[in-house]
């Protein structure tokens, strides 16, 4: 759909991550004059230092696990030694080559995104952008640097992302004490990586480096990894971590991390210390909203510095929108992209559907992966909604047996009475792909009976979704809609 104006509307965007990128494309598609200001490169941190390289690293770790576990399927790798005797080779990880490849992939993705914007007619200005009132963006060569461009626009979109949170007692140095953006400078798999923080980022990297062959200790301030996620899913992952040799220190808080020259010492609040070769600090992130003119423009921020936005990504200033991790919405790349498009559709008068948190699909790229959508079992337990759950272990799935899958499950959540699918959890290989049909069911308000009537390939992992839906069927069709 194209939107016609008496004159071309102008849009200025600060930040070229997923939110800014999609906003720029959408605005260009609708015929606006679009300027994008980006300091690091199109794609932002998500592409250059976060999502793309981290998930590429995890894919490498998954490959190492697949090779190591091939013998369970009857596939044996041998090399011939002296006199033709078989030798069982060890799996070796060339981390320098791995890091070079994944950073190259990230740069290629950034270049592809830049090319798409140029082709769409978007003007790209490298530099640091800040707001000047409600209708202008000023660009400089650095934070507080000399101004070299000023862009006036009808609509402004702020998509500046977030950066790793740093603790004063555990300052990252890029050598031994690292943030997740600094991991890719290591030339070899760390001998002993201590990961502080058991949220999504900490769990993903802890699992990846364990599977790459490192000794890993995970310091978790909570009683279980992945606090806030589905409890059954977290329990499966913690079991897999411990089975793989990881040390999980639950209810342990790191107070100080010191670079000792040849390694690190992590001091815990209960007086214990953990010695390692490297430490990854995964203790959250802070929005990159300081010093870019938001307060002066009248944009409302939270105490943490996040930009307050509504369901169409609009801020407290009518013509200023915001997208991505710098906002109060869900910090996911897919959400940032949707916010960017939604903001432009709303600002330029196109059809817009306000974002709904309960329909957002998320995935944790551990091994096994954990994917979720919609309402969760804990919401039922807390009395937030009337619902029923059914969990089906993947060990009951014939394709899983063929693939040697030992861990994981499919969990469907339906509204009590109507049987409408309102949520789901999948734990297993490629859960990020398998969750999609459940996400469609949630989005389109399908019942478990409607889901169960969809043909799934036999044998397939997706068959567990229809199996779970069939198990939730009731004889009284007046209850579940026939």
């Amino acid at each position: 759909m194209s939107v016609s104006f008496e004159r071309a509307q102008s849009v200025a965007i600060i930040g070229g991550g997923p939110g800014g990128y999609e906003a720029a494309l959408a605005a260009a598609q609708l015929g606006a004059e679009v300027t994008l200001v980006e300091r690091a490169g199109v794609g932002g941190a998500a592409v250059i230092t976060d999502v793309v390289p981290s998930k590429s690293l995890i894919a490498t770790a998954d490959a190492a696990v697949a090779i190591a576990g091939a013998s369970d399927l009857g596939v044996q790798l041998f090399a011939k030694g002296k006199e033709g005797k078989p030798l069982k080779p060890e799996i070796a990880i060339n981390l320098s080559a791995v890091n070079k490849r994944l950073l190259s992939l990230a740069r290629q993705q950034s270049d592809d995104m830049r090319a798409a914007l140029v082709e769409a007619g978007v003007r790209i200005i490298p530099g640091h952008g800040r707001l000047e009132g409600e209708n202008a963006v000023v660009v400089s060569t650095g934070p507080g640097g000399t101004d070299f461009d000023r862009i006036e626009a009808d609509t402004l979109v702020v998509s500046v992302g977030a950066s790793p949170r740093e603790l004063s007692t555990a300052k990252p140095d890029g050598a031994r004490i690292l943030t997740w953006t600094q991991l890719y400078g290591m030339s070899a798999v760390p001998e002993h990586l201590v990961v502080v923080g058991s949220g999504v980022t900490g769990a993903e990297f802890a699992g990846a480096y364990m599977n790459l062959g490192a000794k890993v200790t995970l310091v978790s301030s909570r009683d279980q990894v992945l606090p806030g996620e589905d409890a059954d899913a977290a329990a499966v992952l913690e079991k897999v971590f411990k089975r793989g040799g990881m040390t999980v220190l639950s209810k342990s808080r790191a107070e100080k991390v010191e670079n000792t020259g040849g390694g690190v010492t992590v001091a815990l609040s209960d007086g214990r210390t953990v010695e390692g070769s490297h430490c990854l600090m995964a203790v959250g992130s802070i929005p990159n909203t300081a010093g870019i003119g938001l307060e002066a423009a009248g944009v409302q921020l939270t105490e943490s510095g996040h930009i307050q936005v509504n369901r169409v990504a609009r801020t407290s200033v009518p013509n200023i929108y915001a997208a991505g991790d710098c906002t109060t919405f869900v910090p996911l790349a897919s959400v940032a992209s949707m916010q960017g498009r939604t903001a432009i559709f709303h600002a330029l008068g196109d059809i817009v559907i306000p974002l709904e948190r309960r329909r957002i699909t998320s995935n944790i790229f551990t091994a096994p992966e954990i994917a979720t959508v919609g309402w969760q079992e804990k919401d039922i337990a807390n009395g937030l909604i009337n619902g029923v759950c059914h969990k089906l272990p993947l060990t009951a799935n014939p394709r899983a047996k063929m693939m040697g899958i030992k861990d994981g499950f499919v969990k469907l959540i339906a509204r009590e009475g109507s049987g409408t699918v309102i949520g789901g959890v999948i734990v297993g290989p490629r859960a990020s792909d398998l969750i999609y049909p459940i996400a469609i069911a949630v989005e389109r308000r399908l019942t478990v009976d409607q889901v169960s009537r969809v043909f799934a390939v036999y044998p397939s992992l997706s068959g567990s979704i229809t199996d779970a839906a069939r198990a939730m069927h009731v004889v009284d069709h007046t209850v579940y809609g026939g």
Side-chain angles (χ1 to χ4, degrees), residues 110-410:
S110 176
D111 291 343
D112 290 344
M113 294 171 71
R114 180 184 178 86
L117 291 178
V118 171
E119 184 178 354
V122 176
R123 177 191 180 199
I124 303 174
I125 301 178
H128 293 252
R130 72 175 189 275
L131 300 183
E132 187 176 79
E134 300 178 9
N135 293 102
V137 171
V138 176
V139 186
S140 61
T141 55
T146 303
D147 301 338
F148 69 87
D149 213 336
R150 184 178 187 275
I151 306 106
E152 292 188 357
D154 301 304
T155 299
L156 306 181
V157 180
V158 180
S159 182
V160 292
S163 299
R165 178 170 167 253
E166 298 181 4
L167 303 181
S168 59
T169 56
K171 276 288 187 181
D173 55 25
R176 296 284 179 179
I177 306 173
L178 310 165
T179 68
W180 62 81
T181 66
Q182 299 171 327
L183 288 169
Y184 310 111
M186 290 192 293
S187 59
V189 174
E191 180 181 344
H192 182 186
L193 179 66
V194 182
V195 179
V196 176
S198 62
V200 173
T201 300
E204 286 185 345
F205 279 113
Y209 279 98
M210 178 187 75
N211 291 333
L212 288 172
K215 179 181 178 182
V216 176
T217 297
L218 180 60
V219 179
S220 172
S221 62
R222 309 291 282 273
D223 57 358
Q224 193 174 40
V225 300
L226 297 177
E229 298 295 330
D230 180 84
D232 291 337
V236 169
L237 187 64
E238 188 163 325
K239 181 183 72 174
V240 171
F241 279 174
K242 291 178 179 179
R243 190 173 66 210
M246 186 186 301
T247 300
V248 179
L249 301 179
S250 302
K251 297 182 179 178
S252 301
R253 186 176 297 277
E255 285 200 341
K256 183 179 180 182
V257 182
E258 181 182 1
N259 182 340
T260 60
V264 294
T265 298
V266 180
L268 305 182
S269 58
D270 60 5
R272 292 178 296 166
T273 59
V274 181
E275 307 287 337
S277 61
H278 298 78
C279 179
L280 167 63
M281 297 300 297
V283 289
S285 59
I286 55 173
N288 299 323
T289 54
I292 61 171
L294 291 167
E295 297 93 332
V299 175
Q300 184 177 354
L301 304 175
T302 65
E303 290 186 5
S304 61
H306 290 85
I307 303 172
Q308 288 276 15
V309 293
N310 62 15
R311 291 173 58 199
V312 294
R314 200 178 201 178
T315 72
S316 54
V317 180
N319 69 305
I320 300 178
Y321 295 76
D325 292 6
C326 64
T327 74
T328 50
F329 219 66
V330 182
L332 295 171
S334 58
V335 173
S337 297
M338 190 68 78
Q339 279 184 295
R341 291 191 295 270
T342 300
I344 292 301
F345 293 160
H346 186 266
L348 301 188
D350 203 347
I351 297 173
V352 61
I353 300 175
L355 299 176
E356 173 57 59
R357 287 176 181 264
R358 292 294 178 184
R359 296 181 184 177
I360 294 172
T361 304
S362 63
N363 191 73
I364 301 170
F365 289 86
T366 46
E369 292 183 6
I370 299 172
T372 58
V373 64
W375 293 91
Q376 297 298 298
E377 188 172 9
K378 63 183 178 182
D379 297 323
I380 297 173
N382 292 334
L384 298 179
I385 193 169
N386 292 325
V388 291
C389 301
H390 184 77
K391 185 174 75 170
L392 193 64
L394 282 184
T395 50
N397 181 287
R399 185 66 184 275
K401 290 185 176 73
M402 298 170 193
M403 297 170 66
I405 297 172
K406 302 181 180 67
D407 306 288
F409 60 82
V410 169

Side-chain angles (χ1 to χ4, degrees), residues 73-140:
L73 304 181
V75 179
Q76 296 178 317
L77 305 177
F78 288 97
K80 288 186 178 180
K82 292 181 179 180
E83 301 176 356
K85 293 183 178 180
L87 300 173
K88 187 174 182 179
E90 295 182 0
I91 298 173
I93 303 297
N94 184 339
L95 194 62
S96 290
V98 170
N99 286 338
K100 181 179 179 181
R101 173 181 176 269
L102 60 88
L103 291 176
S104 175
L105 287 173
R107 181 51 60 183
Q108 288 174 25
Q109 179 67 17
S110 176
D111 291 343
D112 290 344
M113 294 171 71
R114 180 184 178 86
L117 291 178
V118 171
E119 184 178 354
V122 176
R123 177 191 180 199
I124 303 174
I125 301 178
H128 293 252
R130 72 175 189 275
L131 300 183
E132 187 176 79
E134 300 178 9
N135 293 102
V137 171
V138 176
V139 186
S140 61

Side-chain angles (χ1 to χ4, degrees), residues 397-400 402 434 456-467:
N397 181 287
R399 185 66 184 275
M402 298 170 193
L434 290 170
V457 171
Y458 181 87
S460 68
L461 296 181
S462 60
S464 287
I465 298 173
T466 53
D467 288 345

Side-chain angles (χ1 to χ4, degrees), residues 421-442:
V421 178
I422 57 173
V425 183
I426 295 182
V427 178
R430 306 299 292 269
S432 50
D433 297 325
L434 290 170
I435 196 68
Y436 190 63
I438 302 179
I440 292 176
V442 171

